[in-house]
């Protein structure tokens, strides 16, 4: 293979990376002989369409560590590409809608370039390329979404959420054996999830010969009224909406729901939803939290001398010294505490990323299944974490009597 000047070859790569309408993806990997390796083992580049507009996304991997940069097209994307090309990667692979370029840096620091026509059929270039997804459970072209006014990101969130619900449906249907299945969406807002979950659950329940009732609950009368009207117009049987607070929601007149959903219920409304689900004893609970101000405020109000983070003088204080780190740490701590409270009270809990962060940065999901009796062994973990950070999470306050009852058993 002929060799050419590396600077000129990298300039070709740069031009391809900065033509986002044509670019499909690119990968920089490998190292050059005799020089320090690049900062990352591998960087993947592709154009993405974010809510804020088209961006170039650079995902760097080093072992298990992954970091993502989304650079808006223009100067920022050009700077990110220049930084990438300045690193001593040994190989660059660039796919566009029409060609594949492979650049290998030889031992002598020259470029070996191979170009071929793109062989993949119907390759999708441009910022929409990231939309290539697995088959949806919720049909994105369902006219219902148009009527609801749900945008692409919301449709993807809702589809991903329902995908997490799907494996737990048999557990809910078992609990509902011999009667209708009952599902509630707490803090339903514009009810995209309520409609989508109802559509999907109705089909699933139908396979088992079960009927379904779904209720969306929200404090805002306007969104509830709108959703009621749209459900009526769509002729969706078994779907209704109720104005009310999550704290004392009673969507089935005293009967417990089998499925409790909460998508981005604001701040501590997620705790209210989890507490409500626990008091109902609902077998299947899925909650994707929103912002976490409660624990963040408590940490911000404490001082290092209080022993914040444990140890003498608060060895963990540097973790929360900077506001951005404090915010991120509080997210993690809040959800860890929520998971522990649910575990103590008899739920198996997984915390998963339910959708790519491109579609919402609030993409953690607590997926909980009631397994039976309480688990006192998790109390010590819960208490230690609370004491270490000097916080009293809302969920533990809401469920204090239930936690005390488990404590009495321990
Ligand atoms: C960020 S929106 C999310 C709406 C919807 N779940 C979604 O993801 O599109 C949060 C919703 O929760 C509702 N909400 C907040 N606190 C609530 C409470 N205590 N009881 C009932 N609804 C509440 C708000 O009115 C709002 O509609």
């Amino acid at each position: 293979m002929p060799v050419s000047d590396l600077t000129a070859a990298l300039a070709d790569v740069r031009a391809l990376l900065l033509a986002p309408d044509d670019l499909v993806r690119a990968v920089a990997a490998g190292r050059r002989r005799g020089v320090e390796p690049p900062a990352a083992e591998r960087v993947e580049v592709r154009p993405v369409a974010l809510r804020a507009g088209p961006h170039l996304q650079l995902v760097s991997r080093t072992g298990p560590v992954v970091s993502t940069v989304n650079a808006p097209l223009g100067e920022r994307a050009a700077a990110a590409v220049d930084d990438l090309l300045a690193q001593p990667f040994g190989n660059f692979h660039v796919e566009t809608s029409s060609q594949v370029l492979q650049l290998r840096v030889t031992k002598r620091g020259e470029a070996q370039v191979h170009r071929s026509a793109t062989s993949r059929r119907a390759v999708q270039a441009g910022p929409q390329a990231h939309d290539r997804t697995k088959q949806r459970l919720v049909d994105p072209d369902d006219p219902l979404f148009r009527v609801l006014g749900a945008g692409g990101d919301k449709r993807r969130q809702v589809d991903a959420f329902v995908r997490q619900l799907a494996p737990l449906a048999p557990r809910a249907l078992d609990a509902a054996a011999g009667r209708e299945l009952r599902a509630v969406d707490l803090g339903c807002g514009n009810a995209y999830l309520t409609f989508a979950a109802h559509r999907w659950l109705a089909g699933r329940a139908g396979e088992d010969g079960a009927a379904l009732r779904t209720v969306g609950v929200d404090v805002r009368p306007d969104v509830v009224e709108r959703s009621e009207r749209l459900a009526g117009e769509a002729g969706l049987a078994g779907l209704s909406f109720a104005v009310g607070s999550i704290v004392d929601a009673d969507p089935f007149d005293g009967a417990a729901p089998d499925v409790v959903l909460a998508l981005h219920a604001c701040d501590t409304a997620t705790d209210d939803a989890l507490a409500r689900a626990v008091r109902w004893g609902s077998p299947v609970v899925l909650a994707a939290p929103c912002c976490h101000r409660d624990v963040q405020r408590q940490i911000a109000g404490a001082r290092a001398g209080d022993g914040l983070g444990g140890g003498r003088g608060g060895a963990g204080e540097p973790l929360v010294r900077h506001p951005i780190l404090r915010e991120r740490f509080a997210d993690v701590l809040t959800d860890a505490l929520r998971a522990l409270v649910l575990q103590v009270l008899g739920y198996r809990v997984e915390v998963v990323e339910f959708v790519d962060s491109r579609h919402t940065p609030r993409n953690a999901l607590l997926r909980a299944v009631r397994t039976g009796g309480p688990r006192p062994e998790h109390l010590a973990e819960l208490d230690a974490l609370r004491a270490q950070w000097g916080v009293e999470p809302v969920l533990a306050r809401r469920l204090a009597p239930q936690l005390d009852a488990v404590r009495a058993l321990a």
Side-chain angles (χ1 to χ4, degrees):
M1 206 181 296
V3 290
S4 57
D5 176 59
L6 181 58
T7 308
L10 288 174
D12 287 350
V13 170
R14 183 180 193 274
L16 295 178
L17 294 183
L18 292 175
D21 288 340
D22 207 28
L23 179 66
V24 176
R25 66 191 276 274
V27 177
R31 49 186 295 188
R32 291 179 205 168
R33 190 164 288 204
V35 293
E36 283 289 303
E41 283 167 6
R42 175 187 166 89
V43 179
E44 189 160 347
V45 183
R46 57 184 175 157
V48 292
L50 302 183
R51 193 190 294 270
H55 285 60
L56 203 60
Q57 182 176 76
L58 294 91
V59 179
S60 306
R61 290 172 202 276
T62 303
V65 180
V66 178
S67 68
T68 302
V69 169
N70 289 317
L73 296 187
E75 275 176 26
R76 301 254 305 270
V81 166
D82 287 339
D83 280 353
L84 176 72
L85 297 180
Q87 293 184 45
F89 283 106
N91 299 291
F92 293 88
H93 170 100
V94 186
E95 287 175 45
T96 73
S97 58
S98 57
Q99 64 170 312
V100 177
L101 178 151
Q102 276 171 301
L103 186 167
R104 192 176 77 78
V105 183
T106 67
K107 280 186 229 166
R108 301 167 70 166
E110 291 169 317
Q112 220 171 34
V113 178
H114 177 74
R115 289 176 197 262
S116 56
T118 297
S119 58
R120 279 200 268 160
R121 271 187 303 129
V123 90
Q124 257 190 309
Q128 67 277 48
H130 79 294
D131 284 351
R132 290 190 303 264
T133 52
K134 46 195 171 223
Q135 199 193 348
R136 302 266 170 81
L137 290 189
V138 176
D139 178 3
D141 298 323
D142 188 332
L144 194 56
F145 284 118
R146 248 198 333 274
V147 176
L148 290 169
D153 274 346
K154 204 65 198 178
R155 292 179 201 201
R156 267 181 222 102
Q157 274 179 45
V158 158
D159 180 73
F161 199 105
V162 172
R163 193 173 287 280
Q164 295 292 331
L165 167 64
L168 308 185
R171 177 75 181 80
L173 282 158
D174 279 354
R179 59 163 171 79
E180 68 190 1
L181 179 69
R182 297 187 284 255
V184 67
D185 181 11
L186 297 173
C188 63
N190 280 329
Y192 309 123
L193 175 64
T194 332
F195 278 88
H198 180 76
R199 268 257 212 266
W200 186 84
L201 273 174
R204 183 62 190 79
E207 288 168 19
D208 284 24
L212 168 70
R213 273 178 72 198
T214 305
V215 180
V217 176
D218 205 286
V219 275
R220 285 180 49 191
D222 57 328
V223 293
V224 165
E225 237 169 68
R226 172 180 180 270
S227 300
E228 275 285 7
R229 178 173 51 74
L230 293 175
E233 285 170 11
L236 287 174
L239 174 62
S240 61
F241 293 86
V243 179
S245 167
I246 294 169
V247 176
D248 50 11
D250 184 17
F252 301 105
D253 302 322
D258 307 296
V259 176
V260 176
L261 309 176
L263 174 57
H264 298 159
C266 324
D267 198 7
T268 55
T270 293
D271 299 287
D272 292 333
L274 294 173
R276 197 74 193 96
V278 169
R279 286 200 299 269
W280 274 321
S282 297
V284 170
V285 184
L286 287 96
C290 197
C291 41
H292 300 76
R293 297 207 192 89
D294 169 54
V295 163
Q296 207 187 116
R297 270 191 297 261
Q298 294 183 48
I299 292 176
R303 288 167 298 124
D306 296 339
L308 197 61
R312 269 179 62 198
E317 194 273 339
L319 284 175
V320 294
R321 188 176 298 157
H322 307 282
I324 180 69
L325 296 183
R326 185 160 62 235
E327 188 183 324
R328 290 180 187 180
F329 182 77
D331 282 6
V332 173
L333 182 58
T334 306
D335 287 335
L337 289 163
R338 285 172 172 152
L340 278 171
V341 169
L342 294 174
Q343 284 176 297
V344 171
L345 297 175
Y347 282 81
R348 178 167 52 77
V349 184
E350 291 166 297
V351 184
V352 297
E353 240 182 27
F354 74 101
V355 68
D356 195 288
S357 59
R358 284 188 299 254
H359 307 307
T360 171
R362 297 289 176 197
N363 65 345
L365 174 76
L366 286 111
R367 218 163 66 132
V369 176
R370 195 160 62 91
T371 54
R375 306 274 302 278
E377 66 272 23
H378 289 297
L379 255 183
E381 289 179 321
L382 175 63
D383 289 344
L385 203 52
R386 284 199 289 199
Q388 187 181 3
W389 288 97
V391 293
E392 186 56 3
V394 169
L395 187 59
R397 296 206 292 272
R398 298 275 190 273
L399 294 171
Q402 288 80 356
L403 290 171
D404 286 346
V406 178
R407 204 176 300 282
L409 297 174

